[in-house]
Amino acid sequence: MTRLTIKDKGNPLLSSSQNDRHGFTLLFTINTFKHLLAGGFAGAVSRTVVSPLERLKILFQLQHSQHEIKFKGIIPSLIQIGKEEGFKGYFKGNGTNVVRMVPYMAVQFTAYEEFKKRLHVSQDVRKHDSLRRLTAGALAGITSVIATYPLDLIRTRLAAQGEGPLRKYRSIFHAAVLICRQEGGFFGGALYRGIAPSLMGVAPYVGFNFMIYENLKGMVSKYFYGSSPDGYSELSVPVRLTCGAIAGASSQTVTYPLDVIRRRMQMKGANSNFAYSSTLNAFATIIRKEGYIGLYKGMVPNVVKVAPAIAVNFVVYEFAKKIIYRYS
């Protein structure tokens, strides 16, 4: 109601075109805030749900050689973490993860909504718009990574460190200060180590996520609700969760090697025996020393984690957005 009043009446001292621009700016600001709120809430919920598997995935990825392998298998490793670190061990680094994921998913969903408008992507998921959905998703992924990458690097360091004398960082803030002080400073790129493979991986990953999810919803909607004007909104939560899980598993499988490289590069500065001089060197070294399977370390727990995480992400975002729009 407020938006219509402001947009219709406008300011009598402004021209009609200026009033239109003012109304659009206000509408954009309000809608942007709604998308940010819904996206941030979805990110916090989904990441907390899968935190134990996220911790396990990172531990698997950071095992370089046969001599360093400490964790084997999902269930035995989860039991081992529980015995050695207690229940809190499953959520080590989760505070940082949530702090990172709230702005990350908020920016990602909001950017996707904006890029969809810019690229004229149809709101009806039953219409074939795969390429533009893929492009909008890729651009949204790049935007969100650039905005939140330092927190991702700090989360990796916190999750990888041990207890007692092996504990180097006391908190998020302490880790940020120490990394900048010891590894070249903020403007020296200390908090952006590994961002190159991250950007290369996140563009197709997020793009495929959005494209596959919306295309699957469109296919299911067309099959079951072909004559309904808003068929996709009638899809049940289990169906949308399934679409999200398939989208997450598919996109993660394609881009997983870049995620492994990113984690390894993020440990530069924390490990005195760091083995890689660049992203390409990391690829070559891993393949030479660990084989191609080295690029897929932690893949199984990651897919087990990603499938429900993406599913919950999409469904919680859509639910939160619907509630926010209804009561605002």
Side-chain angles (χ1 to χ4, degrees):
M1 191 69 184
T2 304
R3 293 198 304 271
L4 290 174
T5 302
I6 293 175
K7 195 173 181 180
D8 288 346
K9 290 184 177 181
N11 186 331
L13 299 178
L14 301 176
S15 67
S16 59
S17 61
Q18 287 175 314
N19 274 323
D20 286 341
R21 286 196 298 272
H22 174 70
F24 172 77
T25 301
L26 181 60
L27 185 63
F28 172 79
T29 303
I30 294 174
N31 286 344
T32 299
F33 177 74
K34 292 175 182 176
H35 297 153
L36 286 169
L37 192 61
F41 179 69
V45 171
S46 65
R47 292 301 154 164
T48 300
V49 168
V50 299
S51 178
L53 288 169
E54 173 68 13
R55 171 93 198 282
L56 190 57
K57 180 201 77 169
I58 293 176
L59 292 174
F60 278 159
Q61 287 180 335
L62 297 177
Q63 295 181 139
H64 290 199
S65 66
Q66 293 295 324
H67 302 293
E68 296 179 4
I69 291 180
K70 179 181 178 182
F71 300 97
K72 294 181 179 180
I74 299 175
I75 302 301
S77 297
L78 288 173
I79 293 173
Q80 184 177 346
I81 291 173
K83 286 181 178 179
E84 294 180 357
E85 304 178 35
F87 183 74
K88 291 194 296 184
Y90 295 119
F91 296 91
K92 181 181 284 185
N94 187 56
T96 317
N97 201 18
V98 169
V99 169
R100 180 187 73 93
M101 287 308 299
V102 167
Y104 177 77
M105 294 312 303
V107 171
Q108 188 175 111
F109 277 113
T110 304
Y112 181 65
E113 299 278 6
E114 183 61 25
F115 283 124
K116 278 206 303 182
K117 287 190 292 184
R118 300 283 181 178
L119 295 171
H120 307 291
V121 178
S122 174
Q123 293 297 320
D124 188 345
V125 293
R126 291 169 295 180
K127 293 185 177 180
H128 296 291
D129 246 343
S130 297
L131 182 59
R132 281 185 284 188
R133 286 189 183 117
L134 178 65
T135 304
L139 292 172
I142 290 171
T143 303
S144 56
V145 165
I146 292 173
T148 62
Y149 190 80
L151 281 170
D152 185 43
L153 183 142
I154 292 171
R155 177 179 67 94
T156 299
R157 297 285 183 91
L158 289 173
Q161 69 179 351
E163 293 294 334
L166 298 176
R167 186 177 178 85
K168 183 177 181 180
Y169 309 112
R170 296 193 301 269
S171 64
I172 298 172
F173 180 74
H174 179 252
V177 171
L178 207 59
I179 291 169
C180 286
R181 182 183 299 160
Q182 296 179 349
E183 301 176 33
F186 179 81
F187 294 105
L191 294 175
Y192 281 88
R193 295 188 189 281
I195 194 171
S198 183
L199 290 175
M200 286 188 291
V202 80
Y205 172 63
V206 177
F208 279 122
N209 257 342
F210 281 109
M211 184 193 76
I212 294 172
Y213 177 66
E214 295 204 335
N215 282 358
L216 284 174
K217 284 201 306 179
M219 290 167 60
V220 175
S221 299
K222 202 168 186 178
Y223 184 80
F224 290 103
Y225 308 103
S227 60
S228 172
D230 60 344
Y232 78 93
S233 66
E234 298 179 34
L235 294 179
S236 65
V237 170
V239 171
R240 282 182 286 155
L241 283 172
T242 302
C243 291
I246 294 172
S250 302
S251 56
Q252 182 64 205
T253 301
V254 172
T255 61
Y256 189 77
L258 286 166
D259 192 41
V260 173
I261 299 296
R262 174 169 63 101
R263 296 297 180 194
R264 298 282 182 92
M265 293 299 292
Q266 285 178 339
M267 295 307 294
K268 186 175 183 179
N271 188 347
S272 58
N273 297 318
F274 192 74
Y276 317 116
S277 58
S278 66
T279 299
L280 290 177
N281 176 254
F283 264 114
T285 304
I286 290 172
I287 292 172
R288 186 176 68 253
K289 292 186 176 181
E290 305 171 43
Y292 286 97
I293 196 171
L295 294 173
Y296 288 89
K297 283 188 174 179
M299 174 79 175
V300 175
N302 193 54
V303 169
V304 172
K305 179 214 69 168
V306 163
I310 296 300
V312 171
N313 236 348
F314 280 125
V315 173
V316 172
Y317 172 72
E318 290 172 345
F319 173 77
K321 188 173 78 166
K322 185 177 180 180
I323 295 298
I324 291 169
Y325 268 88
R326 178 181 294 174
Y327 293 102
S328 60

